[in-house]
């Protein structure tokens, strides 16, 4: 049976993860959704699925997959899977930030609690709720975005959006960053029962040879 690795489903992280894999020497076949190591043609390919962190965590726990790239901020603390790599896979000009309409930036700049009672959209509900709680901000509604979201519509129906942004995306939507949170940290998680095939292939991700994989 072919081993399975999950990659982030969220659009920006999905593209960044695939680019990271290519730079690490892997070849992704979008037609078959398979991942192959270009440095070891004798190694079997991995089946790739795209899931959010919550689903990937559950699949790891039940043995449905053998490894997953997951945003560390979106993984619950009780996940028992081991982390063999933590890295930022976004390019330098991308990061997570809370963005608001450029025309309203002055309304928030001096008093973040003015987000009270407003509608905030996000792909990172756990991160947003942690930040809101720290500042005692209570929004009217939190809209959790999915992979197929039409961001211009979200822009029109929300007062603020917490997501991954680059300068071009902010400009196109008429938004400006209110709070910068940096790039998300991505962890490569493995199940305790991960196969030798997974262990061999994911070892190519590791940036330093002394970091061992414990599976």
């Amino acid at each position: 049976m072919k081993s399975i690795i999950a990659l982030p489903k969220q659009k920006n992280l999905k593209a960044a993860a695939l680019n990271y894999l290519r730079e690490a020497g892997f070849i992704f076949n979008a037609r078959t959704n398979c991942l192959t190591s270009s440095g070891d043609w004798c190694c079997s390919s991995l089946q790739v699925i795209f899931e959010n962190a919550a689903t990937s965590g559950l699949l790891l726990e039940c043995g449905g997959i053998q490894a997953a790239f997951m945003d560390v901020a979106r993984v619950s603390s009780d996940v028992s899977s081991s982390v063999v790599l933590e890295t930022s896979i976004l390019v330098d000009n991308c990061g997570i930030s809370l963005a608001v309409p450029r025309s309203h930036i002055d309304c928030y700049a001096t008093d973040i609690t003015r987000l009270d009672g407003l509608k905030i959209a996000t792909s990172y509900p756990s991160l947003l709720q942690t930040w809101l709680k720290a500042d005692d901000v209570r929004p009217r509604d939190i809209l959790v975005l999915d992979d197929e979201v039409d961001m211009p519509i979200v822009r029109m129906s929300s007062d603020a959006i917490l997501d991954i942004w680059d300068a071009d995306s902010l400009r196109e939507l008429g938004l400006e960053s209110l709070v910068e949170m940096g790039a998300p940290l991505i962890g490569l998680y493995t199940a305790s029962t991960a196969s030798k095939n997974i262990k061999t292939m994911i070892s190519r991700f590791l940036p330093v040879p002394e970091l061992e994989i414990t599976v």
Side-chain angles (χ1 to χ4, degrees):
M1 185 173 66
K2 185 172 292 186
S3 298
I4 304 173
I5 186 171
L7 302 185
K9 182 179 181 180
Q10 202 267 353
K11 183 171 60 178
N12 291 305
L13 288 183
K14 176 180 178 179
L18 289 174
N19 183 63
Y20 181 86
L21 290 167
R22 283 191 290 267
E23 292 182 351
F26 289 85
I27 296 173
F28 176 66
N29 186 322
R31 182 177 61 82
T32 62
N33 269 14
C34 286
L35 190 67
T36 306
S37 170
S38 61
D40 188 357
W41 294 105
C42 296
C43 188
S44 300
S45 61
L46 298 178
Q47 187 70 43
V48 175
I49 62 173
F50 297 96
E51 291 290 350
N52 58 44
T55 301
S56 294
L58 290 174
L59 289 172
L60 274 175
E61 293 300 300
C62 71
I65 62 176
Q66 289 70 52
F69 264 108
M70 295 188 286
D71 178 2
V72 174
R74 302 176 77 171
V75 178
S76 63
S77 58
D78 58 352
V79 171
S80 60
S81 305
S82 59
V83 185
V84 297
L85 172 67
E86 290 188 1
T87 184
S88 175
I89 60 175
L90 291 181
V91 295
D92 292 339
N93 66 339
C94 287
I96 296 178
S97 66
L98 180 71
V100 297
R102 189 173 299 116
S103 58
H104 297 164
I105 188 68
D106 291 339
C107 298
Y108 305 109
T110 59
D111 187 0
I112 203 71
T113 62
R114 293 187 181 179
L115 289 169
D116 270 341
L118 300 184
K119 185 175 183 179
I120 305 176
T122 184
S123 296
Y124 295 85
S126 297
L127 182 62
L128 175 62
Q129 289 170 351
T130 298
W131 175 76
L132 294 176
K133 184 177 180 180
D135 287 87
D136 197 28
V137 177
R138 301 176 185 180
R140 171 171 55 87
D141 189 22
I142 294 178
L143 172 64
V144 179
L145 306 179
D146 59 30
D147 186 44
E148 305 299 327
V149 67
D150 188 335
M151 195 58 77
I153 294 178
V154 175
R155 156 70 174 83
M156 297 301 294
S157 61
S158 303
D159 299 294
I161 308 171
L162 178 69
D163 215 309
I164 295 174
W165 302 105
D166 58 28
D168 290 340
S169 298
L170 289 171
R171 184 176 60 253
E172 290 172 3
L173 292 170
L175 299 171
E176 186 167 336
S177 291
L178 181 63
V179 179
E180 300 286 343
M181 300 185 181
L185 191 64
I186 299 298
L188 176 57
Y189 292 76
T190 63
S192 58
T193 56
S195 67
K196 182 179 179 181
N197 176 45
I198 284 279
K199 183 174 181 178
T200 299
M201 292 193 73
I202 64 178
S203 65
R204 291 175 53 82
F205 289 108
L206 303 181
V208 288
E210 62 270 20
L211 183 57
E212 296 183 354
I213 300 176
T214 54
V215 297

